[in-house]
Amino acid sequence: MPGIVAYLIVGGVAAIATFVATPLAGKTANHFGLISAPDERDVHELPTPHLGGPAMLFGLLAGSFTAWVIGDFSAVFSSRSEILGVLLAAIVMCAVGVIDDIKPITAPAKIAGMVIAGSVLSLVGVSLVVLRIPFVDVVLLSPDLAALATVLWVVLLANAINLIDGLDGLATGIVAIASTTFVIYAIRLSDEGVLFEENPGSLIAILIAGICIGFLPHNAHPAKIFMGDGGALMLGVLLAASTVSVGGRTDAAYSGQSFFFFAPLLIPIVILGVPIIDVLFAIIRRIFTPGSSITTADKDHLHHRLLRLGHGHRRVVFILWTWTALLSGFVLWPTYSGRGDGIVPMGIAGVCLVLFTLLHPRLQTNKPKKNEIVADDHFPKL
């Protein structure tokens, strides 16, 4: 069983490699003119390179190689098909995103890339085969349904991360917090014998945390470089692989924990509350807005509403980072304390209610001006 030091080494190497590679990616982007120029839909004021994805991929590969070399994760690498499949899916997603960063591609092409990445995960065994329905029962999915569920989960997370990548450092910080939480959660389940040593979930999560931590100094406001679709889509598929590995591949009961909190989809939904809630609200909002479609850009994302309340760029990012950390803490509390299962759902509901009340558009007094600059909306244009 890998120790804390092993996780720190792997995450540290991924962070350092990403940190070193990012300026090189920025120079390459500047050389080839891969720049995001400010326009009426962006919040940045200066032309900024958007080729952070390859640097993050380099950090992922460096961290993975380190995990293989040090030997502490030998059980994970004993079945190389899984970890290699995850890396292949990440490469596919990064490539699709980088192509879109260089020359925008159609939404069906993007979705096709997500489907391919999700299919790769399913083929190598990283798939959602166990679904726990809260207060009902455990459902074992057939191979066909497991593959479909895995692909849908990849599409949801890839779009969720892409959608919140609208402010400097926002998506990077949220994913770093969420993945770090998931490492801690997965280690706890491993210690309790719920997860086998061969499970790659915790390794993938620490790699995600490492590359985000290494990228954040370059991406924090004012950003020197953006992760682009290459980075955002890759993070989405990696998060999907990690969460499915931890929550969707065992039907073992976890003593002392609420049935609700062991549901394989509800755990990552809570931990990844900000991006997932944002993408779901965006879809619902656009469906019920006359004359709009789910691909129509708007100014009602969580970070837009916080900006309209008068918060500055850094403060908005900090608020959403804090929310992510709070939701993550709600998950870890019953996992480590063995109590509080009944209080935690109410706490999460309370936080969501307060945020909904504060950010509801009808309660906002600062209406957006006609020419207000807003963040780019990356939801695929279907």
Side-chain angles (χ1 to χ4, degrees), residues 18-32:
T18 304
F19 180 81
V20 172
T22 298
L24 298 177
K27 291 181 180 179
T28 302
N30 284 321
H31 178 74
F32 289 100

Side-chain angles (χ1 to χ4, degrees), residues 103-115:
K103 185 177 181 179
I105 59 178
T106 63
K110 272 190 184 181
I111 297 297
M114 298 174 195
V115 171

Side-chain angles (χ1 to χ4, degrees), residues 201-224:
S202 57
L203 174 58
I204 300 169
I206 195 63
L207 289 169
I208 299 170
I211 60 180
C212 287
I213 291 171
F215 187 70
L216 187 57
H218 303 288
N219 187 234
H221 185 71
K224 303 178 184 67

Side-chain angles (χ1 to χ4, degrees), residues 14-15 17-30 34-36 48-60 90 93-95 97-102 165 172 210-212 214-216 218-219 223-235 238:
T18 304
F19 180 81
V20 172
T22 298
L24 298 177
K27 291 181 180 179
T28 302
N30 284 321
L34 303 177
I35 306 296
S36 291
T48 307
H50 55 246
L51 201 62
M56 302 173 83
L57 177 60
F58 176 75
L60 173 68
M93 274 283 75
C94 185
V98 169
I99 292 173
D100 187 61
D101 290 331
I102 295 174
D165 187 26
T172 310
I211 60 180
C212 287
F215 187 70
L216 187 57
H218 303 288
N219 187 234
K224 303 178 184 67
I225 187 172
F226 299 144
M227 70 172 68
D229 279 12
L233 297 181
M234 183 183 72
L235 289 179
L238 288 174

Side-chain angles (χ1 to χ4, degrees), residues 224-295:
K224 303 178 184 67
I225 187 172
F226 299 144
M227 70 172 68
D229 279 12
L233 297 181
M234 183 183 72
L235 289 179
V237 73
L238 288 174
L239 282 170
S242 178
T243 53
V244 165
S245 295
V246 172
R249 299 171 62 185
T250 176
D251 59 355
Y254 186 25
S255 177
Q257 303 307 313
S258 166
F259 192 61
F260 176 88
F261 277 97
F262 199 64
L265 290 183
L266 293 177
I267 290 292
I269 283 176
V270 173
I271 292 178
L272 298 169
V274 172
I276 291 179
I277 290 174
D278 198 26
V279 71
L280 293 178
F281 278 3
I283 293 174
I284 295 172
R285 183 174 62 246
R286 294 167 188 178
I287 289 176
F288 289 97
T289 299
S292 180
S293 70
I294 63 172
T295 63

Side-chain angles (χ1 to χ4, degrees), residues 52-69:
M56 302 173 83
L57 177 60
F58 176 75
L60 173 68
L61 297 177
S64 300
F65 179 75
T66 301
W68 176 63
V69 169

